[in-house]
Amino acid sequence: MTQFMTAAPPEAVRVMPDGRKVTAIPARVQACAAVPLQPVRKPRVAAYARVSTDQEEQETSFEAQRDYYGSLIRNNPEWEYSGLYTDDGISATSTARREGFNRLIADALAGKIDRIITKSVSRFARNTVDLLQNVRKLKALGIETQFLTANMTSMGNSEFVLTIFGALAQEESANTSKRVKFGKKMNAEKGRVPNIVYGYDKTIGDY
């Protein structure tokens, strides 16, 4: 707490030309006790990385993301590393099974994180509702989310822009699902058996 001390200056008596005595009272001087400055805390920055399948090329991407974010945060002298949260082989169409993402949001809302960085909107969420709901909760606490590939932040860009990117990510996910289902249907019509059939063993030969 700041404290003030009042110093009582000495009074001076002056004799005027007509013989009158005038007492001059100087203004009181207030001295403020020194208050030590509190060091400014660096923003705590966490990263989120996700790949949607466990295919080899996706695993390579996952390792690259993990290395990149670790270096990016630690090499920035203005940031404090607050962890890397990951989901491996989990789709972003829902948050239900994304344990890493849910821990990230929970820790941010608990005051452990000041800023979140991730590769893109589609890595963060492929569901527009989930995207906006979580961004709004974070923004309400002053927590910024940064999407690197689009050079966007939740604070610096309007919600309308984020909605567009979220809708595109959601549509991309839906189209991918349609292509996969169509491929499976065509293979079934041609009598092609997938490499993995749960509950059965695949053997080579004519029967």
Side-chain angles (χ1 to χ4, degrees):
M1 180 180 295
T2 302
Q3 298 180 348
F4 294 95
M5 296 178 293
T6 302
E11 299 179 353
V13 178
R14 298 180 181 176
V15 179
M16 304 302 289
D18 59 2
R20 292 179 302 154
K21 293 182 179 181
V22 178
T23 302
I25 303 177
R28 293 181 176 271
V29 179
Q30 290 184 329
C32 180
V35 178
L37 296 176
Q38 297 295 327
V40 178
R41 180 175 59 81
K42 296 180 180 180
R44 297 160 298 177
V45 182
Y48 176 70
R50 179 189 67 81
V51 295
S52 57
T53 70
D54 57 1
Q55 297 176 3
E56 183 177 353
E57 61 270 21
Q58 290 281 30
E59 285 295 324
T60 302
S61 173
F62 179 75
E63 293 296 333
Q65 289 184 66
R66 185 161 57 186
D67 294 341
Y68 172 75
Y69 291 129
S71 299
L72 178 66
I73 298 174
R74 289 191 173 97
N75 291 338
N76 190 327
E78 297 182 355
W79 287 353
E80 178 183 331
Y81 182 72
S82 189
L84 174 64
Y85 297 76
T86 62
D87 282 309
D88 189 3
I90 304 296
S91 171
T93 54
S94 172
T95 61
R97 296 173 54 241
R98 297 168 65 191
E99 295 181 1
F101 180 83
N102 291 329
R103 285 192 295 105
L104 169 71
I105 299 300
D107 287 348
L109 298 181
K112 299 178 181 179
I113 299 171
D114 301 309
R115 186 184 185 92
I116 297 171
I117 58 175
T118 189
K119 180 179 178 181
S120 64
V121 172
S122 63
R123 296 296 91 189
F124 193 77
R126 284 189 179 272
N127 182 304
T128 308
V129 175
D130 287 341
L131 170 67
L132 295 179
Q133 284 182 343
N134 285 290
V135 165
R136 286 170 181 168
K137 287 191 293 186
L138 295 171
K139 286 179 65 176
L141 296 177
I143 302 170
E144 186 171 55
T145 306
Q146 181 177 1
F147 308 100
L148 298 177
T149 55
N151 193 26
M152 296 193 315
T153 65
S154 58
M155 298 292 191
N157 295 90
S158 68
E159 192 170 284
F160 174 73
V161 174
L162 291 176
T163 301
I164 293 177
F165 275 82
L168 292 174
Q170 182 172 324
E171 184 65 18
E172 179 186 359
S173 178
N175 289 335
T176 300
S177 178
K178 290 178 182 178
R179 288 195 298 269
V180 171
K181 290 179 181 178
F182 180 77
K184 290 181 178 179
K185 179 181 178 182
M186 295 300 295
N187 286 334
E189 291 177 353
K190 294 178 180 180
R192 296 174 181 171
V193 179
N195 291 329
I196 299 177
V197 180
Y198 294 103
Y200 297 86
D201 293 327
K202 183 179 178 180
T203 58
I204 298 178
D206 297 330
Y207 296 92

